[in-house]
């Protein structure tokens, strides 16, 4: 019956599991039973199956009745012990109300702040990751070699995607869209109604590959021809009333790329709020090619292309493989092609000289660290106050130990206490977050909701971590007392304890001071950017776009605009002062042909722009209708003159490309083109009198009336478009929105950090004053004045805060410097910033402990010395 | 019927122990019950029932001989206590009384 010859052993791991967990008294019998069953199985089934069944038997045998008890004392009454601990804890809370409240308030504000930041961070991280194939979805990027720098583009040729699919087996699929300068935004007409629509050119498989949900229509068919348009749900509702009514309808749609009839083939759900691509309508990319053949040429960078890579593709290897993909297509080696994960781009989208330098991820990291630090500060409060209270608890611990409590149970008790507090704090902070979220969303420009079900596990872990962090030190410290010494009234190790407590306060204040300095630096920098002399004036200037007009019409429109009463002057251009993202190369002097590669900032301005913006002409003249200027005339800025090494720029001809040349008619003083993140660069101002960006300077005092007149004029020329003029000043502020958001957030965070630190200091001061009452009493009897007492009590705290200041200054100097280096133009770190931060923290600290020390100094010695 | 606290599965195991006499050890009980119930049982379920009943005083046990099939490990032979016999009898009585009191409709 038995197989003596070739004995097959049961699986070793299961055996070990059984031996590890089964109660020792049962082991022999039950293991024997299972072994016997295993032998039966071996006779009936294959070896593998028998082994599997054996493992299953083992797992089934690991049930509460049969496994080892986790704690040896079998009769230990957990429940009543827990009850007792809870009771003691609650009584403690009631007796020491100040400490309890300080702990609770500190922890809950700290938790609330961290929670808000956590929500923000997780929202930032979720951006663009909603696509089903997120893991495989990559964006094609290129580094482009200029003569003196490398620029990085997130757009490539419109042919790129298809070629990738055929040439590389790793590429499963490719989808491409028109890049952000090729967005078909315009007006849809249906049944006499005009609807402004922001559109997107998408390749035929757009909805097939990307996860934008179609409410109607099939993903692979909605974009098959160039007469189909897919609209968003909200657009469908706006135009047709219902989603169903939209499908199959013919509408006309006009943009600067096309003006034709479309059939609505599908309706998609609005892109989620955490998508960077937001659009109301999608039309076929072929339409862009029809309008502009470069959209399908290798040397046109018209499309953003995303590819789906086969699962398990090695990205580094793939990047090496495609690196030189463009070389034979454009016959030069200036392109380096690479891919970046689609959802990574939002946070890591900044490149410098061909290397990734970060992007929004820096703020995300910064705030993650800040939130953790705030939590640490709040936990330090708890630690400090509980160890400070140790003297109150010593007797309790002594008695418990004498009766037979061991260290583990005591540790457990203190842990329960800190867990309870952090749980209470959590409830409070959840409430706080719930109340503050709308305000927070406003500041952070987000649409975050507190979804308890989704965030509950995270909350649970936070509470556990905070409870552990805050409770660990008191728990291990207090449970280590020697009962005999404690009950005799001898308390050892007070010195060491105070040392640690002071150390923790120093940590708290160092962090707070760093926060204060950080906030001052951020605010100063923002004020600086808002007041910096940009070389042009922003006062009373409104800008708006003239859309949907032919070039001749634009010229008439601008002429009419100039003659509108209340308008000081007006001009039009192509390009944008605040974004400054238009540039071009190909300009060179015969002396130095190398400059051909240089990418000059090159806005195209019409007449009167220079005058309207208040730019200073140093030499020559601005564009002027009297001279019948044309595109062969250019104006340089000082930097460009310097770069090209021109001594007498006026009248000099500059070669452009291979065959044409441009004449310099003026030189303008350097001014800021683009945000302050960019330095002032050499610029060549070209001429174009039909640019669509209108710039109007209004007469002060009559702005509203003038704006109304302009709006009427606008309506006359652009009946289908809304008039959307904005003040340049406002736009300029919006440019620094992300810094302003950061600054608002960091203001709040610094405030919270300081409040929490002060709460802790307050508690400690109260405690010290209480413990030293007798000393103070005796001092007073011996003749100490109230002032002496206040000074005495303040001294100790002053020292700690000063140490904190000394620690914080070099650290914060380092951090501020690295933050400021993100800006091309930044403030200098002045000594007063550090002085203000240090002094104010010292004052805050004094103020916090002032109340306590003052009260202590007014003690009546007769009362406090009475019972001894 | 006082506080006997004998679950249905426990009762089955207990009766099997009585039936098997000297052969009443884990695997044998499992085999017997599997035959009678025609379903598969795990060693763990039988063992935990046995341990529970031993704690409640329905069973006593002692080590029996070791066999090679068991990898040299001894069996533990279970036997029912007089108390268990009494409880089994009580339960049977209660059941038969209930059967007798049942109107003669639903069966067969």
């Amino acid at each position: 019956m038995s197989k003596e010859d070739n004995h097959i052993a049961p699986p070793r791991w299961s055996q070990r599991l059984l031996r590890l967990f089964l109660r020792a008294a049962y082991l022999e019998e039950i293991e024997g039973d299972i072994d016997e069953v295993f032998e039966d199985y071996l006779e009936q089934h294959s070896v593998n199956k028998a082994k599997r069944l054996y493992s299953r038997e083992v797992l089934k045998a690991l049930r509460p009745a049969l496994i080892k008890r986790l704690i040896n004392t079998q009769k230990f009454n957990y429940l009543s012990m827990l009850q007792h601990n809870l009771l003691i804890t609650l009584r403690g809370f009631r007796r020491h109300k100040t400490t309890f409240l300080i702990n609770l308030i500190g922890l809950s504000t700290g938790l609330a702040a961290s929670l808000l930041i956590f929500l923000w961070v997780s929202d930032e991280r979720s951006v663009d990751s909603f696509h089903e194939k997120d893991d495989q979805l990559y964006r094609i990027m290129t580094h482009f070699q200029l003569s003196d720098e490398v620029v990085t583009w997130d757009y490539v040729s419109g042919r790129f995607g298809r070629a990738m699919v055929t040439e590389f087996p790793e590429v499963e699929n490719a989808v491409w869209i028109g890049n952000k300068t090729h967005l078909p935004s315009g007006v849809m007409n249906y049944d006499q109604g005009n609807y402004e629509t922001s559109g997107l050119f998408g390749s035929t498989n757009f909805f097939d590959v990307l996860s934008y949900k179609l409410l109607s229509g099939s993903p692979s068919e909605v974009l098959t021809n160039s007469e189909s348009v897919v609209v968003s749900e909200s657009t469908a509702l706006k135009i047709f009333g219902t989603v169903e009514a939209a499908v199959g309808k013919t509408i006309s749609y006009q943009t600067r790329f096309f003006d034709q009839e479309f059939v609505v083939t599908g309706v998609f759900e609005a892109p989620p709020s955490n998508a960077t691509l937001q659009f109301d309508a999608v039309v076929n990319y072929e339409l862009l090619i029809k309008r502009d053949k470069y959209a399908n040429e290798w040397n046109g960078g018209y499309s953003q292309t995303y590819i789906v890579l086969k699962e398990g593709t090695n990205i580094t290897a793939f990047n090496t493989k495609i690196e030189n993909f463009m070389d034979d297509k454009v016959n030069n080696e200036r392109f380096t092609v690479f891919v970046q994960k689609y959802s990574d781009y939002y946070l890591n989208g900044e490149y410098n000289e061909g290397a990734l330098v970060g992007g929004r991820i820096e703020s995300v990291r910064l705030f993650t660290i800040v939130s953790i630090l705030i939590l640490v500060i709040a936990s330090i409060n708890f630690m400090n106050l509980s160890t400070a209270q140790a003297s109150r608890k010593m007797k309790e611990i002594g008695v418990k130990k004498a009766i037979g409590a061991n260290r583990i149970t005591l540790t457990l008790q203190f842990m329960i206490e800190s867990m309870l507090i952090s749980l209470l704090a959590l409830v409070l902070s959840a409430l706080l977050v719930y109340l503050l979220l709308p305000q927070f969303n406003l500041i952070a420009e987000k649409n975050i909701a507190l979804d308890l079900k989704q965030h509950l596990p995270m909350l649970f872990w936070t509470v556990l971590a905070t409870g552990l962090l805050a409770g660990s030190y008191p728990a291990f410290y207090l449970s280590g007392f020697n009962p005999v010494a404690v009950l005799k009234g001898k308390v050892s190790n007070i010195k060491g304890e105070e040392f640690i407590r002071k150390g923790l306060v120093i940590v708290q204040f160092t962090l707070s001071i760093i926060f204060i300095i950080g906030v001052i630096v951020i605010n100063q920098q923002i004020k600086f950017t808002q007041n910096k002399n940009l070389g042009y004036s922003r006062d009373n200037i409104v800008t708006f776009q003239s859309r949907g007009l032919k070039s001749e019409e634009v010229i008439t429109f601008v002429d009419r605009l100039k003659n509108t009463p209340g308008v000081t002057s007006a001009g039009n251009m192509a390009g944008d002062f605040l974004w400054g993202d238009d540039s071009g190369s190909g300009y060179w002097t015969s002396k130095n042909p190398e400059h051909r590669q240089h990418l000059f900032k090159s806005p195209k301005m019409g007449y009167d722009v220079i005058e309207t913006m208040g730019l200073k002409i140093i030499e020559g003249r601005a564009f002027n209708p009297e001279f019948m200027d044309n595109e062969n005339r250019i104006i340089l800025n000082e930097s460009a003159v310097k770069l090209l090494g021109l001594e007498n720029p006026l009248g000099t001809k500059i070669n452009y490309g291979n065959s044409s040349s441009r004449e310099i008619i003026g030189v303008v003083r350097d001014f800021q083109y683009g945000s302050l993140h960019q330095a002032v660069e050499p610029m060549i101002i070209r001429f174009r009198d039909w640019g669509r960006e209108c710039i109007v300077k209004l007469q002060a005092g009559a702005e509203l009336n003038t704006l109304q007149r302009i709006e009427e004029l606008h309506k006359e020329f652009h009946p289908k478009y809304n008039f959307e003029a904005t003040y340049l000043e406002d736009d300029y502020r919006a440019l620094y929105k992300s810094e302003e958001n950061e600054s608002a957030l960091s203001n709040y965070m610094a405030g919270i950090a300081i409040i929490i630190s002060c709460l802790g200091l307050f508690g400690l001061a109260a405690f010290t004053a209480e413990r030293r009452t007798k000393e103070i009493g005796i001092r007073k009897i011996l003749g100490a004045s109230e002032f002496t007492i206040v000074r005495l009590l303040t001294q100790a705290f002053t020292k700690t805060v000063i140490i904190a200041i000394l620690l914080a200054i070099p650290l914060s100097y380092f951090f501020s410097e690295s933050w400021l280096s993100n800006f091309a133009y930044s403030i200098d770190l002045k000594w007063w910033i550090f002085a203000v931060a240090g002094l104010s923290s010292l004052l805050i600290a004094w103020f916090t402990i002032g109340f306590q020390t003052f009260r202590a100094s007014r003690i009546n010695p007769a009362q406090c010395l009475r019972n001894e | 019927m006082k506080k006997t606290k004998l679950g249905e599965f426990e009762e089955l195991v207990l009766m099997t122990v009585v039936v098997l006499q000297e052969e009443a050890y884990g695997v044998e009980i499992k085999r017997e019950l599997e035959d009678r119930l025609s379903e598969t049982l795990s060693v763990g379920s039988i063992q935990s029932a046995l341990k529970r009943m031993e704690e409640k005083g329905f069973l006593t046990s002692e080590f029996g001989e070791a066999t090679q099939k068991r990898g040299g490990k001894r069996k533990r032979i279970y036997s029912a206590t007089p108390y268990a016999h009494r409880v089994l009898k009580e339960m049977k009585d209660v059941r038969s009384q209930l059967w007798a009191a049942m109107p003669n409709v639903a069966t067969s």
Side-chain angles (χ1 to χ4, degrees), chain A residues 400-652:
Chain A
K400 275 194 173 161
K401 276 200 155 178
I403 294 172
N406 58 18
R407 203 167 169 172
I408 296 173
T409 46
L410 283 173
T411 310
L412 211 68
Q413 183 197 330
F414 291 118
M415 281 295 179
I416 287 173
E417 193 177 316
S418 69
M419 291 286 170
L420 197 71
I421 282 220
S422 50
L423 202 71
L424 280 174
L426 177 80
V427 174
L428 244 151
S429 68
L431 206 74
L432 267 175
V433 168
Y434 182 75
L435 290 174
L436 290 176
L437 210 51
Q439 191 62 33
F440 180 78
N441 276 335
L442 219 62
I443 299 170
E445 298 197 311
K446 288 267 178 193
N447 197 6
I448 303 170
L450 182 65
D451 180 2
L452 273 184
K453 220 188 269 166
Q454 186 195 339
H455 296 122
L456 211 58
M458 192 277 304
L459 289 177
F460 173 75
W461 289 116
T462 322
V463 166
L464 209 68
T466 326
L468 273 176
L469 186 70
S472 57
Y473 176 60
F476 291 108
Y477 170 70
L478 292 175
S479 62
F481 285 146
N482 174 6
V484 180
V486 165
L487 288 177
K488 270 187 179 163
K490 277 185 211 153
V491 181
S492 53
N493 204 21
I494 279 292
K495 264 262 149 58
E497 175 203 331
E498 229 174 68
F499 181 69
I500 290 177
R501 206 178 303 146
K502 270 189 189 151
L504 290 174
V505 172
I506 290 176
V507 171
Q508 271 186 321
F509 265 79
T510 308
L511 293 176
S512 304
I513 296 166
I514 291 178
F515 284 170
I516 297 179
I517 294 175
V519 164
I520 298 178
V521 169
I522 293 178
N523 286 336
Q524 285 290 317
Q525 173 67 19
I526 286 182
K527 218 163 90 190
F528 170 75
T529 55
Q530 273 163 5
N531 297 330
K532 183 173 189 286
N533 183 5
L534 301 171
Y536 58 85
S537 97
R538 304 192 293 272
D539 303 333
N540 273 325
I541 289 183
V542 292
T543 63
F544 58 93
Q545 276 206 320
S546 150
R547 286 171 294 186
L549 291 192
K550 298 203 179 75
S551 16
E552 316 88 68
E553 292 172 330
V554 175
I555 296 170
T556 346
F557 173 64
V558 175
D559 273 343
R560 293 274 303 274
L561 204 56
K562 283 174 185 165
N563 294 324
T564 309
V567 171
T568 313
S569 68
N572 59 323
M573 66 181 284
D576 190 312
F577 265 77
L578 297 180
W579 290 102
D581 49 5
D582 40 358
S583 35
S585 59
Y587 299 91
W588 54 290
T589 52
S590 318
K591 216 165 43 178
N592 194 350
E594 237 176 63
H595 290 130
R596 263 180 103 147
Q597 307 275 325
H598 188 87
L599 204 57
F600 288 92
K601 292 274 174 194
S602 47
K604 305 176 207 63
M605 295 185 183
Y607 299 119
D608 288 336
V609 174
I610 290 178
E611 290 84 346
T612 309
M613 295 296 292
L615 302 180
K616 256 254 168 8
I617 292 283
I618 326 181
E619 276 183 82
R621 59 174 180 87
F623 295 124
N624 191 327
E626 284 171 33
F627 292 88
M628 301 291 285
D629 283 320
N630 59 39
E631 58 179 23
N632 287 325
R633 297 191 175 148
I634 52 174
I635 297 174
L636 266 57
N637 71 353
E638 288 170 298
S639 304
V641 172
K642 219 178 289 165
L643 180 87
L644 294 170
L646 303 172
E647 269 154 35
N648 289 311
L650 283 195
T652 311

Side-chain angles (χ1 to χ4, degrees), chain B:
Chain B
M1 201 164 124
K2 293 152 290 175
K3 290 204 299 181
T4 48
K5 283 190 191 165
L6 191 59
E8 187 205 8
F9 186 68
E10 287 175 350
E11 190 185 349
L12 287 172
V13 174
L14 181 56
M15 286 167 81
T16 318
V17 169
V18 179
V19 169
L20 288 173
Q21 301 283 344
E22 278 81 39
E23 275 301 298
Y25 75 99
V27 182
E28 200 52 47
I29 298 171
K30 174 170 135 45
R31 288 192 195 115
E32 182 72 26
L33 260 183
E34 277 177 345
D35 276 355
R36 287 185 189 269
L37 299 176
S38 43
E39 63 178 273
T40 325
L41 299 167
S42 73
V43 174
S45 62
I46 302 281
Q47 282 292 354
S48 66
L50 287 170
K51 297 295 182 276
R52 276 201 303 270
M53 285 193 288
E54 196 171 5
E55 221 166 85
K56 289 184 212 163
F58 292 111
L59 292 174
T60 55
S61 65
E62 56 187 313
F63 275 120
E65 90 280 22
T67 65
Q68 189 167 19
K69 205 176 168 186
R70 298 173 59 85
K73 287 154 198 120
R74 286 172 293 170
K75 297 169 179 171
R76 189 176 269 278
I77 312 290
Y78 290 85
S79 51
T81 58
Y83 169 59
H85 283 285
R86 206 171 63 236
V87 170
L88 279 178
K89 173 116 190 6
E90 267 173 29
M91 289 182 82
K92 191 195 163 200
D93 288 349
V94 170
R95 289 216 171 105
S96 32
Q97 279 161 23
L98 280 171
W99 273 107
M102 238 156 41
N104 223 354
V105 272
T107 47
S108 81

